[in-house]
Amino acid sequence: MQLNGVWFNGSKTLSNLGLIALGSLIFVIGLNGILVPHGFLSGGVVGLSLLLHYLVPVANVGVVYFLVNIPLFVLGWFNISRRFMLYTLFGLLFFSLLAATYFPVLPQIKDPILAALAGGVICGTGEGLILRSLGSAGGTDI
């Protein structure tokens, strides 16, 4: 199948979309389940979104993430391959939607060092799965 001059293989496309979706879910579990309750920051655009959320608690992390990514996506659209950017569009929308709506209840971690390690491992695993695909979830990965 060809879309906007880019060829897509059906099973490979579904595999990449699945990796992006699963990675986004795992990352959001670490984000909303550990980082936000402990007041931790992350790097990149997620960290900026968390910082804005902490400064203005009414600002939802997923919505802020999406809004901050709009100019990055536009820049990427003109400078990076269409296939990568189409996968990234899916990842950006899926990640933002999950971050805005999914708030898992995880067991309470009282030790801040253990919470930081657990959050880093969970978020890192999610990001690794996303980057294993041919796209990203936006942010500085673009």
Side-chain angles (χ1 to χ4, degrees):
M1 173 174 77
Q2 187 175 10
L3 176 66
N4 202 15
V6 178
W7 284 95
F8 286 93
N9 176 341
S11 63
K12 182 86 168 145
T13 300
L14 288 177
S15 171
N16 286 319
L17 293 176
L19 281 173
I20 292 170
L22 179 61
S24 295
L25 175 65
I26 292 170
F27 194 108
V28 168
I29 289 172
L31 176 72
N32 286 337
I34 297 175
L35 298 184
V36 172
H38 286 281
F40 293 151
L41 288 176
S42 181
V45 176
V46 174
L48 179 61
S49 302
L50 284 169
L51 184 61
L52 291 172
H53 169 72
Y54 296 145
L55 292 174
V56 183
V58 135
N60 185 293
V61 176
V63 173
V64 172
Y65 183 78
F66 178 77
L67 293 174
V68 171
N69 266 294
I70 291 173
L72 294 173
F73 186 83
V74 171
L75 283 171
W77 185 260
F78 293 110
N79 295 302
I80 302 175
S81 76
R82 293 288 188 259
R83 180 179 63 185
F84 178 82
M85 291 311 295
L86 289 172
Y87 280 127
T88 296
L89 178 62
F90 170 78
L92 174 61
L93 294 173
F94 195 79
F95 183 89
S96 297
L97 181 67
L98 276 177
T101 59
Y102 184 59
F103 303 96
V105 178
L106 300 179
Q108 185 75 15
I109 302 174
K110 295 184 184 192
D111 183 15
I113 299 294
L114 183 59
L117 287 171
V121 167
I122 293 170
C123 291
T125 300
E127 184 65 22
L129 285 174
I130 293 169
L131 292 177
R132 184 80 172 113
S133 72
L134 296 178
S136 73
T140 53
D141 297 341
I142 293 175

